[in-house]
Amino acid sequence: MSDVISQISVTVLAVVVYVFTYRCFNHVYTKRYSSPLPYIIAFALALIIARIINQLNIAVLNLVITYALFNILSFVLYKSSVKRKVLHNIIIYFIPFFAELVSSSIWSIATNELGYLEAFSNTYMLVISNLLNIMLLLPLYKVYFTFVKNDDLQMLPYSEVLVLLLMTLFEFFVLGQFFLRMQTRSDGIIMIILMIGFLLLNAFISVIIGRLASEYKNKYELKLARMQNDIQLTHYNEMNSKYKESRKAIHDIKRHIDVITALQGTDPERAKKYGSKVYKELDQLFTDFKCSNEILSIIMSQKIILAESEQIKVTTEVEDLLLDFMVDTDVTAIFANLWDNAIEASRKVKQGDRYIKMQMYRSGGFIAIEMGNSFDGKVSVRNSKLVSTKLNHEGVGIKIIQSAVSKYEGMYSTSFKDNDFKTHITIPIKQD
């Protein structure tokens, strides 16, 4: 009967640990599946495997298998960067490990002469220790939910992530070895002191890591801002070039009119051809695309001309929206990069199959932007994110679009099928 009670007690503790782990994963990662069934099955299997390994009574093996199961669950069931998962998984894993050490050390102090092995061979002590362990888990996870989640952690270089992982494993080793050798109340007190020391050290390191992550994020955003400024400058130069061309054309209009007038009297057919040529040149200079937002009009005009010069069929269905809640540089960042990416992708498709279709419309309190274009069907995905297929290219255009869209609390996504690539952007309209 005592063995049954002991097994039930340990199983209940394991169930609580995996339930809290599931909650932690949901808190910091994005689910891959909408149905709860894969998560129930996966966590149940992991729990069964952990309990089977636990029966071998090999502490090191139990620790390694449990951590491995945590990582398998997170990588199979959730979407996030590798660095983010490595950092959070080690912290989530440390919580039950720390709670077990605290509860066992308390009982070692309370029973005076009972050491680790003696305490856990006593059914009553084991059940009480497990109950205390469960009581400790709740506030520890609460602290984790409140302070540990940091979206900037993924900005850390892999070297910092590796150092943190090795340091935590070293702490596990030190505490585990001392824990197995506890025999007296004084050992328990020293164990508590060690754990408090490591806890304070980890808290200090967490603050440093948070600051480092923020620093790396600031550098990353500064890099994006500089690239965005370069793009903005490029487009201003293009506008200036168009302005000079338009002044030259306007200056030459009088001369063209004089030539056409003279030809009308001597050679009407030639005058007609000359007039058609002049009209075509003016048509190329001044596109018919116009909307209330001047910056968007200029960008669309330039990009449509560029796309059509590449034999790309262009279709636009753009509702006339003022976009006055957006900064001009962000309008440039989003639309210029959307068009540049679409044109670049379409260039890789044979002539006759190239196309770009852009739609923009208001839906409720949101602006919806949809850009469809032809592409060669080759995509590169890393950590569930689309990256550039160019050699040594960071996909800066995509990152700039994402940065500008997120600034307005919007959503950016892509989809592709066969040779059709689509970009979807939804931006809430800010009301003054």
Side-chain angles (χ1 to χ4, degrees):
M1 179 60 70
S2 62
D3 288 340
V4 172
I5 294 173
S6 297
Q7 290 297 324
I8 292 174
S9 172
V10 174
T11 302
V12 169
L13 174 61
V15 169
V16 171
V17 168
Y18 275 87
V19 168
F20 277 118
T21 301
Y22 171 73
R23 289 191 60 197
C24 285
F25 284 175
N26 289 343
H27 193 67
V28 294
Y29 306 138
T30 302
K31 286 185 173 182
R32 291 187 185 275
Y33 311 102
S34 57
S35 172
L37 188 60
Y39 299 90
I40 295 172
I41 294 174
F43 275 87
L45 286 174
L47 177 61
I48 292 170
I49 293 171
R51 291 294 298 121
I52 293 172
I53 298 298
N54 185 255
Q55 300 302 311
L56 301 176
N57 291 321
I58 304 175
V60 175
L61 179 63
N62 189 41
L63 290 173
V64 172
I65 293 298
T66 302
Y67 183 63
L69 289 172
F70 277 26
N71 281 285
I72 292 171
L73 288 171
S74 68
F75 279 91
V76 172
L77 299 175
Y78 296 89
K79 295 184 288 186
S80 188
S81 68
V82 174
K83 284 185 285 187
R84 184 174 176 79
K85 285 181 178 178
V86 169
L87 284 167
H88 282 289
N89 286 354
I90 196 68
I91 297 170
I92 293 169
Y93 177 63
F94 185 79
I95 292 173
F97 178 80
F98 182 79
E100 183 175 350
L101 292 184
V102 171
S103 61
S104 302
S105 298
I106 289 174
W107 277 110
S108 177
I109 295 171
T111 55
N112 195 10
E113 297 299 330
L114 280 177
Y116 168 76
L117 296 177
E118 290 82 357
F120 280 83
S121 64
N122 184 303
T123 302
Y124 172 76
M125 293 295 182
L126 178 64
V127 171
I128 297 298
S129 179
N130 286 341
L131 288 173
L132 180 60
N133 196 339
I134 293 172
M135 291 173 62
L136 287 170
L137 283 173
L138 183 59
L140 287 173
Y141 280 115
K142 288 281 188 183
V143 171
Y144 170 75
F145 287 150
T146 305
F147 297 106
V148 177
K149 183 181 178 184
N150 187 346
D151 291 331
D152 298 339
L153 291 179
Q154 59 186 344
M155 304 301 298
L156 287 173
Y158 280 101
S159 56
E160 272 84 347
V161 176
L162 180 61
V163 169
L164 178 64
L165 179 63
L166 292 176
M167 187 195 70
T168 307
L169 292 175
F170 176 73
E171 290 179 0
F172 281 176
F173 174 77
V174 172
L175 292 175
Q177 289 299 311
F178 194 88
F179 183 60
L180 291 173
R181 289 166 173 74
M182 278 197 316
Q183 294 296 325
T184 64
R185 175 179 292 179
S186 61
D187 288 339
I189 293 172
I190 294 173
M191 183 67 181
I192 294 291
I193 293 172
L194 274 175
M195 286 189 290
I196 292 173
F198 279 134
L199 193 62
L200 292 174
L201 178 63
N202 286 347
F204 175 74
I205 291 174
S206 296
V207 172
I208 298 299
I209 287 177
R211 290 178 180 175
L212 280 173
S214 297
E215 183 68 22
Y216 283 118
K217 183 180 180 181
N218 290 336
K219 287 182 179 179
Y220 174 77
E221 290 178 345
L222 179 60
K223 181 180 178 181
L224 284 184
R226 286 174 177 169
M227 291 178 178
Q228 185 170 329
N229 287 337
D230 290 341
I231 292 172
Q232 187 72 29
L233 179 61
T234 299
H235 285 285
Y236 280 148
N237 289 335
E238 289 178 5
M239 284 187 282
N240 186 49
S241 176
K242 285 292 180 183
Y243 173 70
K244 290 179 179 178
E245 289 179 24
S246 65
R247 287 193 63 185
K248 180 178 180 296
I250 292 169
H251 180 268
D252 290 342
I253 282 177
K254 184 178 181 298
R255 179 174 58 82
H256 291 312
I257 292 174
D258 290 340
V259 171
I260 293 171
T261 302
L263 288 172
Q264 283 286 2
T266 58
D267 192 346
E269 185 63 27
R270 188 179 177 187
K272 183 178 179 181
K273 290 181 180 179
Y274 189 91
S276 296
K277 183 179 178 181
V278 172
Y279 179 81
K280 187 177 180 180
E281 289 179 359
L282 290 174
D283 190 50
Q284 290 178 343
L285 184 61
F286 303 104
T287 182
D288 292 334
F289 186 88
K290 296 290 180 185
C291 68
S292 298
N293 187 288
E294 293 183 5
I295 296 294
L296 181 57
S297 295
I298 293 169
I299 292 170
M300 293 283 289
S301 299
Q302 292 173 351
K303 299 307 178 184
I304 290 172
I305 292 171
L306 176 59
E308 290 179 342
S309 70
E310 300 277 354
Q311 288 74 50
I312 301 171
K313 181 181 178 182
V314 176
T315 307
T316 59
E317 298 175 11
V318 179
E319 184 178 336
D320 191 6
L321 301 172
L322 190 57
L323 304 179
D324 54 346
F325 66 94
M326 295 179 66
V327 180
D328 288 345
T329 53
D330 294 327
V331 173
T332 302
I334 293 172
F335 290 96
N337 280 290
L338 274 177
W339 277 93
D340 287 343
N341 292 343
I343 292 170
E344 179 64 31
S346 294
R347 284 194 184 112
K348 299 177 182 178
V349 179
K350 67 178 183 179
Q351 293 184 17
D353 294 334
R354 301 175 180 178
Y355 66 88
I356 294 175
K357 181 179 180 180
M358 179 182 169
Q359 294 176 293
M360 184 173 74
Y361 53 91
R362 178 169 181 160
S363 178
F366 296 85
I367 290 176
I369 305 166
E370 297 181 8
M371 176 77 87
N373 61 269
S374 53
F375 82 118
D376 59 7
K378 298 177 182 179
V379 294
S380 179
V381 179
R382 185 186 306 146
N383 298 331
S384 303
K385 294 182 179 180
L386 196 70
V387 296
S388 174
T389 55
K390 295 180 183 177
L391 184 63
N392 298 324
H393 195 274
E394 299 180 2
V396 172
I398 295 174
K399 293 176 182 177
I400 290 175
I401 295 172
Q402 291 173 329
S403 177
V405 170
S406 64
K407 179 178 177 180
Y408 298 93
E409 300 178 352
M411 296 179 64
Y412 168 91
S413 64
T414 57
S415 60
F416 46 88
K417 183 179 180 181
D418 300 328
N419 295 100
D420 182 55
F421 189 93
K422 285 185 169 59
T423 302
H424 313 270
I425 295 174
T426 305
I427 301 175
I429 299 173
K430 302 292 184 182
Q431 302 292 342
D432 292 332

